[in-house]
Amino acid sequence: MRILALAGSLRSGSYNRKLLAVAVRAIGARAEIDTLDLRDVAVPVYDGDLEQRDGLPEGARAFKGRIAAAEALLIATPEYNNSVPGPLKNAIDWASRPPGNPFRDRTVLLMGASPGPFGAVRGVLAVRQILTALHALVIPAYVTLPHADEAFDASGDPRDPKVTERVTRACDELLRITAALGRRD
């Protein structure tokens, strides 16, 4: 099984990158993980005129290819203004442009971390809405981490072992559901 793992934050020290690393460790050798940095598939702000003139940017084509090569997605997203961070939404918008929809039938686990008391839950729910509209199979399990500014030690590991347990349970669900559904291309 191949899983594309990405954080919706561009910041190298982001809490969501740290949370994603916990999930990647929890999955371990049970799946092949393709970890994506959104900066590696950089795209301009979506513009239909640009798309008509030049087609899909190289970053969008690369992102679509990596999604298509995976059976599942693991996304850790922050919450910006109670919603989806712009870079993540923009990348999804470009990748969903024809031809094809690489999100269709991909199993998805969503997570979010925030220094606030809600743990990016509104951002997670907004991404869920978008991916559901794109016919992704967003699993019921999700992880939110409030007070993320206090949640990790200096090495990036969660201070509370319950965080690792929650992430591991959610990753177990992602693997179980994805395996049960089989490849759906």
Side-chain angles (χ1 to χ4, degrees):
M1 179 184 310
R2 184 178 178 92
I3 299 173
L4 179 63
L6 64 121
S9 174
L10 300 180
R11 195 170 57 86
S12 60
S14 84
Y15 306 123
N16 285 280
R17 286 178 184 259
K18 291 177 183 180
L19 185 60
L20 188 69
V22 173
V24 167
R25 285 192 303 272
I27 292 170
R30 298 183 291 164
E32 179 185 346
I33 304 288
D34 175 13
T35 303
L36 172 75
D37 185 326
L38 283 178
R39 291 178 287 199
D40 294 338
V41 292
V43 289
V45 172
Y46 178 75
D47 177 341
D49 291 337
L50 176 71
E51 179 187 14
Q52 185 174 22
R53 185 185 70 229
D54 301 331
L56 290 180
E58 177 55 37
R61 287 193 306 273
F63 188 32
K64 284 182 83 149
R66 288 173 78 173
I67 296 165
E71 286 84 22
L73 304 175
L74 172 58
I75 301 174
T77 183
E79 175 182 301
Y80 292 176
N81 299 317
N82 294 340
S83 192
V84 183
L88 177 60
K89 177 66 166 82
N90 190 54
I92 291 169
D93 288 347
W94 272 113
S96 67
R97 300 300 300 154
N101 172 8
F103 297 99
R104 180 178 293 280
D105 296 333
R106 294 300 177 272
T107 312
V108 182
L109 169 59
L110 294 174
M111 303 186 305
S114 166
F118 300 112
V121 70
R122 295 169 293 206
V124 166
L125 294 174
V127 173
R128 175 183 293 276
Q129 179 181 8
I130 294 163
L131 293 177
T132 299
L134 292 171
H135 304 281
L137 304 169
V138 183
I139 68 170
Y142 64 93
V143 177
T144 57
L145 181 61
H147 309 293
D149 53 332
E150 302 167 3
F152 299 98
D153 63 22
S155 66
D157 293 321
R159 294 181 193 279
D160 183 349
K162 290 180 183 174
V163 171
T164 302
E165 291 170 15
R166 286 191 353 246
V167 170
T168 300
R169 280 194 307 273
C171 288
D172 290 347
E173 278 297 288
L174 176 66
L175 293 171
R176 184 186 67 75
I177 292 170
T178 303
L181 294 172
R183 184 71 183 194
R184 299 168 307 278
D185 287 337

